[in-house]
PDB file of all heavy atoms in Angstrom:
ATOM      1  N   SER A   1      19.597  -0.777  -8.067  1.00  0.00           N
ATOM      2  CA  SER A   1      18.767  -1.983  -8.198  1.00  0.00           C
ATOM      3  C   SER A   1      17.812  -2.126  -7.027  1.00  0.00           C
ATOM      4  O   SER A   1      16.653  -2.519  -7.205  1.00  0.00           O
ATOM      5  CB  SER A   1      19.661  -3.226  -8.303  1.00  0.00           C
ATOM      6  OG  SER A   1      20.492  -3.164  -9.438  1.00  0.00           O
ATOM      7  N   HIS A   2      18.301  -1.790  -5.828  1.00  0.00           N
ATOM      8  CA  HIS A   2      17.450  -1.934  -4.650  1.00  0.00           C
ATOM      9  C   HIS A   2      16.286  -0.955  -4.688  1.00  0.00           C
ATOM     10  O   HIS A   2      15.137  -1.327  -4.412  1.00  0.00           O
ATOM     11  CB  HIS A   2      18.272  -1.720  -3.373  1.00  0.00           C
ATOM     12  CG  HIS A   2      17.478  -1.879  -2.124  1.00  0.00           C
ATOM     13  ND1 HIS A   2      17.034  -3.102  -1.671  1.00  0.00           N
ATOM     14  CD2 HIS A   2      17.011  -0.963  -1.229  1.00  0.00           C
ATOM     15  CE1 HIS A   2      16.345  -2.941  -0.558  1.00  0.00           C
ATOM     16  NE2 HIS A   2      16.306  -1.658  -0.264  1.00  0.00           N
ATOM     17  N   THR A   3      16.562   0.283  -5.014  1.00  0.00           N
ATOM     18  CA  THR A   3      15.487   1.275  -5.054  1.00  0.00           C
ATOM     19  C   THR A   3      14.487   0.970  -6.169  1.00  0.00           C
ATOM     20  O   THR A   3      13.286   1.181  -6.008  1.00  0.00           O
ATOM     21  CB  THR A   3      16.062   2.690  -5.236  1.00  0.00           C
ATOM     22  OG1 THR A   3      16.985   2.702  -6.338  1.00  0.00           O
ATOM     23  CG2 THR A   3      16.782   3.144  -3.983  1.00  0.00           C
ATOM     24  N   GLN A   4      14.977   0.455  -7.298  1.00  0.00           N
ATOM     25  CA  GLN A   4      14.063   0.055  -8.365  1.00  0.00           C
ATOM     26  C   GLN A   4      13.178  -1.107  -7.911  1.00  0.00           C
ATOM     27  O   GLN A   4      11.977  -1.145  -8.205  1.00  0.00           O
ATOM     28  CB  GLN A   4      14.865  -0.366  -9.605  1.00  0.00           C
ATOM     29  CG  GLN A   4      15.565   0.774 -10.324  1.00  0.00           C
ATOM     30  CD  GLN A   4      14.578   1.695 -11.022  1.00  0.00           C
ATOM     31  OE1 GLN A   4      13.575   1.258 -11.547  1.00  0.00           O
ATOM     32  NE2 GLN A   4      14.874   2.980 -11.015  1.00  0.00           N
ATOM     33  N   HIS A   5      13.774  -2.017  -7.167  1.00  0.00           N
ATOM     34  CA  HIS A   5      13.031  -3.192  -6.691  1.00  0.00           C
ATOM     35  C   HIS A   5      11.916  -2.792  -5.727  1.00  0.00           C
ATOM     36  O   HIS A   5      10.760  -3.215  -5.891  1.00  0.00           O
ATOM     37  CB  HIS A   5      14.010  -4.154  -6.012  1.00  0.00           C
ATOM     38  CG  HIS A   5      13.361  -5.322  -5.353  1.00  0.00           C
ATOM     39  ND1 HIS A   5      12.708  -6.315  -6.050  1.00  0.00           N
ATOM     40  CD2 HIS A   5      13.262  -5.656  -4.028  1.00  0.00           C
ATOM     41  CE1 HIS A   5      12.239  -7.210  -5.205  1.00  0.00           C
ATOM     42  NE2 HIS A   5      12.548  -6.841  -3.977  1.00  0.00           N
ATOM     43  N   ILE A   6      12.250  -1.964  -4.745  1.00  0.00           N
ATOM     44  CA  ILE A   6      11.221  -1.593  -3.763  1.00  0.00           C
ATOM     45  C   ILE A   6      10.200  -0.628  -4.379  1.00  0.00           C
ATOM     46  O   ILE A   6       9.051  -0.578  -3.925  1.00  0.00           O
ATOM     47  CB  ILE A   6      11.834  -1.006  -2.479  1.00  0.00           C
ATOM     48  CG1 ILE A   6      12.534   0.318  -2.750  1.00  0.00           C
ATOM     49  CG2 ILE A   6      12.762  -1.994  -1.820  1.00  0.00           C
ATOM     50  CD1 ILE A   6      13.006   1.000  -1.468  1.00  0.00           C
ATOM     51  N   SER A   7      10.588   0.109  -5.415  1.00  0.00           N
ATOM     52  CA  SER A   7       9.629   0.983  -6.098  1.00  0.00           C
ATOM     53  C   SER A   7       8.506   0.161  -6.714  1.00  0.00           C
ATOM     54  O   SER A   7       7.324   0.523  -6.627  1.00  0.00           O
ATOM     55  CB  SER A   7      10.327   1.806  -7.183  1.00  0.00           C
ATOM     56  OG  SER A   7      11.231   2.731  -6.617  1.00  0.00           O
ATOM     57  N   LYS A   8       8.868  -0.954  -7.330  1.00  0.00           N
ATOM     58  CA  LYS A   8       7.852  -1.821  -7.931  1.00  0.00           C
ATOM     59  C   LYS A   8       6.930  -2.397  -6.865  1.00  0.00           C
ATOM     60  O   LYS A   8       5.712  -2.475  -7.046  1.00  0.00           O
ATOM     61  CB  LYS A   8       8.538  -2.943  -8.711  1.00  0.00           C
ATOM     62  CG  LYS A   8       9.316  -2.468  -9.930  1.00  0.00           C
ATOM     63  CD  LYS A   8       9.997  -3.629 -10.626  1.00  0.00           C
ATOM     64  CE  LYS A   8      10.796  -3.141 -11.830  1.00  0.00           C
ATOM     65  NZ  LYS A   8      11.531  -4.259 -12.500  1.00  0.00           N
ATOM     66  N   ILE A   9       7.520  -2.803  -5.745  1.00  0.00           N
ATOM     67  CA  ILE A   9       6.712  -3.391  -4.670  1.00  0.00           C
ATOM     68  C   ILE A   9       5.754  -2.354  -4.098  1.00  0.00           C
ATOM     69  O   ILE A   9       4.557  -2.624  -3.892  1.00  0.00           O
ATOM     70  CB  ILE A   9       7.625  -3.962  -3.568  1.00  0.00           C
ATOM     71  CG1 ILE A   9       8.465  -5.115  -4.113  1.00  0.00           C
ATOM     72  CG2 ILE A   9       6.790  -4.425  -2.369  1.00  0.00           C
ATOM     73  CD1 ILE A   9       9.466  -5.672  -3.123  1.00  0.00           C
ATOM     74  N   ILE A  10       6.262  -1.146  -3.827  1.00  0.00           N
ATOM     75  CA  ILE A  10       5.431  -0.098  -3.232  1.00  0.00           C
ATOM     76  C   ILE A  10       4.306   0.305  -4.182  1.00  0.00           C
ATOM     77  O   ILE A  10       3.163   0.518  -3.764  1.00  0.00           O
ATOM     78  CB  ILE A  10       6.304   1.122  -2.864  1.00  0.00           C
ATOM     79  CG1 ILE A  10       7.267   0.750  -1.733  1.00  0.00           C
ATOM     80  CG2 ILE A  10       5.441   2.293  -2.427  1.00  0.00           C
ATOM     81  CD1 ILE A  10       8.346   1.769  -1.484  1.00  0.00           C
ATOM     82  N   SER A  11       4.615   0.406  -5.466  1.00  0.00           N
ATOM     83  CA  SER A  11       3.577   0.760  -6.447  1.00  0.00           C
ATOM     84  C   SER A  11       2.474  -0.291  -6.472  1.00  0.00           C
ATOM     85  O   SER A  11       1.284   0.050  -6.546  1.00  0.00           O
ATOM     86  CB  SER A  11       4.205   0.903  -7.829  1.00  0.00           C
ATOM     87  OG  SER A  11       5.154   1.948  -7.861  1.00  0.00           O
ATOM     88  N   ARG A  12       2.866  -1.553  -6.415  1.00  0.00           N
ATOM     89  CA  ARG A  12       1.870  -2.626  -6.419  1.00  0.00           C
ATOM     90  C   ARG A  12       1.011  -2.590  -5.153  1.00  0.00           C
ATOM     91  O   ARG A  12      -0.216  -2.725  -5.209  1.00  0.00           O
ATOM     92  CB  ARG A  12       2.567  -3.980  -6.544  1.00  0.00           C
ATOM     93  CG  ARG A  12       1.599  -5.140  -6.674  1.00  0.00           C
ATOM     94  CD  ARG A  12       2.308  -6.433  -7.018  1.00  0.00           C
ATOM     95  NE  ARG A  12       3.188  -6.886  -5.942  1.00  0.00           N
ATOM     96  CZ  ARG A  12       4.502  -6.882  -6.001  1.00  0.00           C
ATOM     97  NH1 ARG A  12       5.111  -6.454  -7.095  1.00  0.00           N
ATOM     98  NH2 ARG A  12       5.227  -7.321  -4.993  1.00  0.00           N
ATOM     99  N   LEU A  13       1.643  -2.376  -4.001  1.00  0.00           N
ATOM    100  CA  LEU A  13       0.900  -2.307  -2.745  1.00  0.00           C
ATOM    101  C   LEU A  13      -0.009  -1.087  -2.695  1.00  0.00           C
ATOM    102  O   LEU A  13      -1.104  -1.130  -2.125  1.00  0.00           O
ATOM    103  CB  LEU A  13       1.879  -2.292  -1.565  1.00  0.00           C
ATOM    104  CG  LEU A  13       2.675  -3.582  -1.333  1.00  0.00           C
ATOM    105  CD1 LEU A  13       3.695  -3.378  -0.221  1.00  0.00           C
ATOM    106  CD2 LEU A  13       1.753  -4.735  -0.989  1.00  0.00           C
ATOM    107  N   ASN A  14       0.441   0.007  -3.303  1.00  0.00           N
ATOM    108  CA  ASN A  14      -0.393   1.203  -3.344  1.00  0.00           C
ATOM    109  C   ASN A  14      -1.669   0.933  -4.137  1.00  0.00           C
ATOM    110  O   ASN A  14      -2.756   1.412  -3.782  1.00  0.00           O
ATOM    111  CB  ASN A  14       0.388   2.361  -3.964  1.00  0.00           C
ATOM    112  CG  ASN A  14      -0.385   3.659  -3.932  1.00  0.00           C
ATOM    113  OD1 ASN A  14      -0.920   4.037  -2.894  1.00  0.00           O
ATOM    114  ND2 ASN A  14      -0.454   4.343  -5.070  1.00  0.00           N
ATOM    115  N   GLY A  15      -1.535   0.144  -5.220  1.00  0.00           N
ATOM    116  CA  GLY A  15      -2.721  -0.230  -5.988  1.00  0.00           C
ATOM    117  C   GLY A  15      -3.687  -1.080  -5.174  1.00  0.00           C
ATOM    118  O   GLY A  15      -4.911  -0.927  -5.279  1.00  0.00           O
ATOM    119  N   VAL A  16      -3.136  -1.951  -4.326  1.00  0.00           N
ATOM    120  CA  VAL A  16      -3.983  -2.781  -3.464  1.00  0.00           C
ATOM    121  C   VAL A  16      -4.756  -1.910  -2.478  1.00  0.00           C
ATOM    122  O   VAL A  16      -5.970  -2.073  -2.289  1.00  0.00           O
ATOM    123  CB  VAL A  16      -3.128  -3.821  -2.712  1.00  0.00           C
ATOM    124  CG1 VAL A  16      -3.974  -4.559  -1.680  1.00  0.00           C
ATOM    125  CG2 VAL A  16      -2.503  -4.804  -3.702  1.00  0.00           C
ATOM    126  N   ILE A  17      -4.056  -0.965  -1.848  1.00  0.00           N
ATOM    127  CA  ILE A  17      -4.720  -0.092  -0.875  1.00  0.00           C
ATOM    128  C   ILE A  17      -5.771   0.778  -1.552  1.00  0.00           C
ATOM    129  O   ILE A  17      -6.848   1.043  -0.990  1.00  0.00           O
ATOM    130  CB  ILE A  17      -3.670   0.782  -0.146  1.00  0.00           C
ATOM    131  CG1 ILE A  17      -2.814  -0.096   0.759  1.00  0.00           C
ATOM    132  CG2 ILE A  17      -4.341   1.883   0.670  1.00  0.00           C
ATOM    133  CD1 ILE A  17      -1.782   0.661   1.563  1.00  0.00           C
ATOM    134  N   ARG A  18      -5.503   1.203  -2.780  1.00  0.00           N
ATOM    135  CA  ARG A  18      -6.474   2.036  -3.489  1.00  0.00           C
ATOM    136  C   ARG A  18      -7.769   1.261  -3.747  1.00  0.00           C
ATOM    137  O   ARG A  18      -8.864   1.822  -3.667  1.00  0.00           O
ATOM    138  CB  ARG A  18      -5.877   2.530  -4.809  1.00  0.00           C
ATOM    139  CG  ARG A  18      -6.792   3.518  -5.551  1.00  0.00           C
ATOM    140  CD  ARG A  18      -6.217   3.957  -6.883  1.00  0.00           C
ATOM    141  NE  ARG A  18      -4.997   4.721  -6.715  1.00  0.00           N
ATOM    142  CZ  ARG A  18      -3.786   4.293  -7.067  1.00  0.00           C
ATOM    143  NH1 ARG A  18      -3.640   3.086  -7.600  1.00  0.00           N
ATOM    144  NH2 ARG A  18      -2.720   5.039  -6.890  1.00  0.00           N
ATOM    145  N   ARG A  19      -7.627  -0.024  -4.032  1.00  0.00           N
ATOM    146  CA  ARG A  19      -8.818  -0.824  -4.327  1.00  0.00           C
ATOM    147  C   ARG A  19      -9.658  -1.101  -3.073  1.00  0.00           C
ATOM    148  O   ARG A  19     -10.893  -1.193  -3.160  1.00  0.00           O
ATOM    149  CB  ARG A  19      -8.402  -2.147  -4.985  1.00  0.00           C
ATOM    150  CG  ARG A  19      -7.981  -1.990  -6.441  1.00  0.00           C
ATOM    151  CD  ARG A  19      -7.875  -3.323  -7.134  1.00  0.00           C
ATOM    152  NE  ARG A  19      -6.759  -4.123  -6.613  1.00  0.00           N
ATOM    153  CZ  ARG A  19      -5.525  -4.065  -7.085  1.00  0.00           C
ATOM    154  NH1 ARG A  19      -5.230  -3.225  -8.080  1.00  0.00           N
ATOM    155  NH2 ARG A  19      -4.581  -4.819  -6.587  1.00  0.00           N
ATOM    156  N   VAL A  20      -9.009  -1.238  -1.931  1.00  0.00           N
ATOM    157  CA  VAL A  20      -9.775  -1.550  -0.707  1.00  0.00           C
ATOM    158  C   VAL A  20     -10.138  -0.290   0.069  1.00  0.00           C
ATOM    159  O   VAL A  20     -10.873  -0.368   1.054  1.00  0.00           O
ATOM    160  CB  VAL A  20      -8.970  -2.513   0.201  1.00  0.00           C
ATOM    161  CG1 VAL A  20      -8.661  -3.806  -0.520  1.00  0.00           C
ATOM    162  CG2 VAL A  20      -7.685  -1.863   0.716  1.00  0.00           C
ATOM    163  N   ARG A  21      -9.637   0.858  -0.342  1.00  0.00           N
ATOM    164  CA  ARG A  21      -9.854   2.110   0.389  1.00  0.00           C
ATOM    165  C   ARG A  21     -11.328   2.436   0.618  1.00  0.00           C
ATOM    166  O   ARG A  21     -11.695   2.860   1.726  1.00  0.00           O
ATOM    167  CB  ARG A  21      -9.163   3.259  -0.347  1.00  0.00           C
ATOM    168  CG  ARG A  21      -9.304   4.617   0.326  1.00  0.00           C
ATOM    169  CD  ARG A  21      -8.556   5.677  -0.453  1.00  0.00           C
ATOM    170  NE  ARG A  21      -9.033   5.763  -1.823  1.00  0.00           N
ATOM    171  CZ  ARG A  21      -8.457   6.506  -2.781  1.00  0.00           C
ATOM    172  NH1 ARG A  21      -7.376   7.205  -2.488  1.00  0.00           N
ATOM    173  NH2 ARG A  21      -8.956   6.546  -4.009  1.00  0.00           N
ATOM    174  N   PRO A  22     -12.224   2.233  -0.359  1.00  0.00           N
ATOM    175  CA  PRO A  22     -13.640   2.597  -0.125  1.00  0.00           C
ATOM    176  C   PRO A  22     -14.308   1.780   0.976  1.00  0.00           C
ATOM    177  O   PRO A  22     -15.355   2.179   1.494  1.00  0.00           O
ATOM    178  CB  PRO A  22     -14.306   2.331  -1.480  1.00  0.00           C
ATOM    179  CG  PRO A  22     -13.191   2.345  -2.477  1.00  0.00           C
ATOM    180  CD  PRO A  22     -12.014   1.800  -1.756  1.00  0.00           C
ATOM    181  N   TYR A  23     -13.718   0.660   1.359  1.00  0.00           N
ATOM    182  CA  TYR A  23     -14.383  -0.238   2.303  1.00  0.00           C
ATOM    183  C   TYR A  23     -13.750  -0.233   3.695  1.00  0.00           C
ATOM    184  O   TYR A  23     -14.235  -0.927   4.593  1.00  0.00           O
ATOM    185  CB  TYR A  23     -14.346  -1.676   1.754  1.00  0.00           C
ATOM    186  CG  TYR A  23     -14.763  -1.773   0.312  1.00  0.00           C
ATOM    187  CD1 TYR A  23     -13.810  -1.921  -0.695  1.00  0.00           C
ATOM    188  CD2 TYR A  23     -16.108  -1.707  -0.048  1.00  0.00           C
ATOM    189  CE1 TYR A  23     -14.181  -2.000  -2.030  1.00  0.00           C
ATOM    190  CE2 TYR A  23     -16.498  -1.782  -1.373  1.00  0.00           C
ATOM    191  CZ  TYR A  23     -15.521  -1.928  -2.365  1.00  0.00           C
ATOM    192  OH  TYR A  23     -15.898  -2.007  -3.686  1.00  0.00           O
ATOM    193  N   LEU A  24     -12.663   0.539   3.873  1.00  0.00           N
ATOM    194  CA  LEU A  24     -11.935   0.492   5.142  1.00  0.00           C
ATOM    195  C   LEU A  24     -11.805   1.882   5.743  1.00  0.00           C
ATOM    196  O   LEU A  24     -11.664   2.876   5.007  1.00  0.00           O
ATOM    197  CB  LEU A  24     -10.532  -0.102   4.936  1.00  0.00           C
ATOM    198  CG  LEU A  24     -10.478  -1.540   4.400  1.00  0.00           C
ATOM    199  CD1 LEU A  24      -9.031  -1.943   4.138  1.00  0.00           C
ATOM    200  CD2 LEU A  24     -11.127  -2.513   5.375  1.00  0.00           C
ATOM    201  N   PRO A  25     -11.830   1.988   7.079  1.00  0.00           N
ATOM    202  CA  PRO A  25     -11.618   3.292   7.727  1.00  0.00           C
ATOM    203  C   PRO A  25     -10.149   3.694   7.683  1.00  0.00           C
ATOM    204  O   PRO A  25      -9.267   2.886   7.366  1.00  0.00           O
ATOM    205  CB  PRO A  25     -12.080   3.033   9.175  1.00  0.00           C
ATOM    206  CG  PRO A  25     -11.866   1.573   9.381  1.00  0.00           C
ATOM    207  CD  PRO A  25     -12.134   0.920   8.054  1.00  0.00           C
ATOM    208  N   LEU A  26      -9.884   4.946   8.024  1.00  0.00           N
ATOM    209  CA  LEU A  26      -8.530   5.489   7.978  1.00  0.00           C
ATOM    210  C   LEU A  26      -7.578   4.700   8.878  1.00  0.00           C
ATOM    211  O   LEU A  26      -6.421   4.449   8.513  1.00  0.00           O
ATOM    212  CB  LEU A  26      -8.545   6.969   8.394  1.00  0.00           C
ATOM    213  CG  LEU A  26      -7.178   7.655   8.499  1.00  0.00           C
ATOM    214  CD1 LEU A  26      -6.477   7.661   7.145  1.00  0.00           C
ATOM    215  CD2 LEU A  26      -7.340   9.082   9.027  1.00  0.00           C
ATOM    216  N   GLU A  27      -8.049   4.304  10.067  1.00  0.00           N
ATOM    217  CA  GLU A  27      -7.186   3.588  11.006  1.00  0.00           C
ATOM    218  C   GLU A  27      -6.684   2.281  10.406  1.00  0.00           C
ATOM    219  O   GLU A  27      -5.502   1.912  10.555  1.00  0.00           O
ATOM    220  CB  GLU A  27      -7.936   3.309  12.319  1.00  0.00           C
ATOM    221  CG  GLU A  27      -8.281   4.536  13.146  1.00  0.00           C
ATOM    222  CD  GLU A  27      -9.468   5.306  12.591  1.00  0.00           C
ATOM    223  OE1 GLU A  27     -10.137   4.763  11.664  1.00  0.00           O
ATOM    224  OE2 GLU A  27      -9.719   6.428  13.062  1.00  0.00           O
ATOM    225  N   THR A  28      -7.569   1.587   9.707  1.00  0.00           N
ATOM    226  CA  THR A  28      -7.172   0.317   9.091  1.00  0.00           C
ATOM    227  C   THR A  28      -6.209   0.547   7.932  1.00  0.00           C
ATOM    228  O   THR A  28      -5.232  -0.194   7.757  1.00  0.00           O
ATOM    229  CB  THR A  28      -8.412  -0.447   8.599  1.00  0.00           C
ATOM    230  OG1 THR A  28      -9.329  -0.618   9.680  1.00  0.00           O
ATOM    231  CG2 THR A  28      -8.024  -1.800   8.045  1.00  0.00           C
ATOM    232  N   LEU A  29      -6.465   1.581   7.145  1.00  0.00           N
ATOM    233  CA  LEU A  29      -5.560   1.911   6.041  1.00  0.00           C
ATOM    234  C   LEU A  29      -4.180   2.285   6.566  1.00  0.00           C
ATOM    235  O   LEU A  29      -3.147   1.911   5.986  1.00  0.00           O
ATOM    236  CB  LEU A  29      -6.137   3.049   5.210  1.00  0.00           C
ATOM    237  CG  LEU A  29      -7.429   2.745   4.439  1.00  0.00           C
ATOM    238  CD1 LEU A  29      -7.979   4.013   3.798  1.00  0.00           C
ATOM    239  CD2 LEU A  29      -7.167   1.673   3.377  1.00  0.00           C
ATOM    240  N   HIS A  30      -4.170   3.009   7.681  1.00  0.00           N
ATOM    241  CA  HIS A  30      -2.897   3.372   8.298  1.00  0.00           C
ATOM    242  C   HIS A  30      -2.158   2.130   8.785  1.00  0.00           C
ATOM    243  O   HIS A  30      -0.934   2.017   8.662  1.00  0.00           O
ATOM    244  CB  HIS A  30      -3.142   4.340   9.467  1.00  0.00           C
ATOM    245  CG  HIS A  30      -1.891   4.904  10.040  1.00  0.00           C
ATOM    246  ND1 HIS A  30      -1.810   5.371  11.333  1.00  0.00           N
ATOM    247  CD2 HIS A  30      -0.654   5.075   9.509  1.00  0.00           C
ATOM    248  CE1 HIS A  30      -0.592   5.804  11.565  1.00  0.00           C
ATOM    249  NE2 HIS A  30       0.132   5.645  10.470  1.00  0.00           N
ATOM    250  N   SER A  31      -2.895   1.172   9.343  1.00  0.00           N
ATOM    251  CA  SER A  31      -2.289  -0.080   9.788  1.00  0.00           C
ATOM    252  C   SER A  31      -1.700  -0.852   8.614  1.00  0.00           C
ATOM    253  O   SER A  31      -0.621  -1.451   8.722  1.00  0.00           O
ATOM    254  CB  SER A  31      -3.322  -0.938  10.518  1.00  0.00           C
ATOM    255  OG  SER A  31      -3.781  -0.303  11.692  1.00  0.00           O
ATOM    256  N   LEU A  32      -2.409  -0.838   7.481  1.00  0.00           N
ATOM    257  CA  LEU A  32      -1.886  -1.500   6.290  1.00  0.00           C
ATOM    258  C   LEU A  32      -0.594  -0.838   5.820  1.00  0.00           C
ATOM    259  O   LEU A  32       0.352  -1.514   5.404  1.00  0.00           O
ATOM    260  CB  LEU A  32      -2.933  -1.457   5.170  1.00  0.00           C
ATOM    261  CG  LEU A  32      -4.153  -2.369   5.329  1.00  0.00           C
ATOM    262  CD1 LEU A  32      -5.149  -2.127   4.202  1.00  0.00           C
ATOM    263  CD2 LEU A  32      -3.723  -3.834   5.345  1.00  0.00           C
ATOM    264  N   TYR A  33      -0.574   0.487   5.891  1.00  0.00           N
ATOM    265  CA  TYR A  33       0.646   1.211   5.510  1.00  0.00           C
ATOM    266  C   TYR A  33       1.809   0.814   6.406  1.00  0.00           C
ATOM    267  O   TYR A  33       2.923   0.521   5.925  1.00  0.00           O
ATOM    268  CB  TYR A  33       0.401   2.716   5.590  1.00  0.00           C
ATOM    269  CG  TYR A  33       1.662   3.547   5.460  1.00  0.00           C
ATOM    270  CD1 TYR A  33       2.181   3.856   4.199  1.00  0.00           C
ATOM    271  CD2 TYR A  33       2.337   3.999   6.582  1.00  0.00           C
ATOM    272  CE1 TYR A  33       3.345   4.607   4.076  1.00  0.00           C
ATOM    273  CE2 TYR A  33       3.502   4.753   6.476  1.00  0.00           C
ATOM    274  CZ  TYR A  33       4.002   5.056   5.217  1.00  0.00           C
ATOM    275  OH  TYR A  33       5.160   5.771   5.093  1.00  0.00           O
ATOM    276  N   ASN A  34       1.567   0.783   7.726  1.00  0.00           N
ATOM    277  CA  ASN A  34       2.639   0.469   8.675  1.00  0.00           C
ATOM    278  C   ASN A  34       3.140  -0.959   8.521  1.00  0.00           C
ATOM    279  O   ASN A  34       4.338  -1.219   8.675  1.00  0.00           O
ATOM    280  CB  ASN A  34       2.154   0.691  10.114  1.00  0.00           C
ATOM    281  CG  ASN A  34       2.021   2.159  10.452  1.00  0.00           C
ATOM    282  OD1 ASN A  34       2.713   3.002   9.880  1.00  0.00           O
ATOM    283  ND2 ASN A  34       1.125   2.477  11.364  1.00  0.00           N
ATOM    284  N   SER A  35       2.242  -1.886   8.229  1.00  0.00           N
ATOM    285  CA  SER A  35       2.642  -3.290   8.162  1.00  0.00           C
ATOM    286  C   SER A  35       3.208  -3.689   6.804  1.00  0.00           C
ATOM    287  O   SER A  35       4.133  -4.504   6.726  1.00  0.00           O
ATOM    288  CB  SER A  35       1.447  -4.190   8.505  1.00  0.00           C
ATOM    289  OG  SER A  35       0.374  -3.968   7.605  1.00  0.00           O
ATOM    290  N   LEU A  36       2.672  -3.107   5.717  1.00  0.00           N
ATOM    291  CA  LEU A  36       3.066  -3.532   4.381  1.00  0.00           C
ATOM    292  C   LEU A  36       4.150  -2.655   3.757  1.00  0.00           C
ATOM    293  O   LEU A  36       5.018  -3.160   3.037  1.00  0.00           O
ATOM    294  CB  LEU A  36       1.845  -3.545   3.451  1.00  0.00           C
ATOM    295  CG  LEU A  36       0.711  -4.510   3.812  1.00  0.00           C
ATOM    296  CD1 LEU A  36      -0.429  -4.359   2.813  1.00  0.00           C
ATOM    297  CD2 LEU A  36       1.207  -5.945   3.828  1.00  0.00           C
TER     298      LEU A  36
END
């Protein structure tokens, strides 16, 4: 249940990063990965 739960969260966050990726540098994307 736990792995299924975090899988959904990570997939959703990955979609967020994909949408903002064209507008942000690598350093900022890396910061988003570390924080989120």
Side-chain angles (χ1 to χ4, degrees):
S1 299
H2 181 72
T3 50
Q4 290 290 324
H5 174 67
I6 65 173
S7 293
K8 294 178 181 177
I9 296 176
I10 293 168
S11 298
R12 185 171 66 250
L13 292 175
N14 185 49
V16 173
I17 291 182
R18 185 182 295 111
R19 285 193 292 271
V20 301
R21 181 178 58 188
Y23 312 103
L24 299 175
L26 175 62
E27 293 77 10
T28 305
L29 294 173
H30 188 204
S31 297
L32 288 175
Y33 170 83
N34 287 333
S35 59
L36 298 178

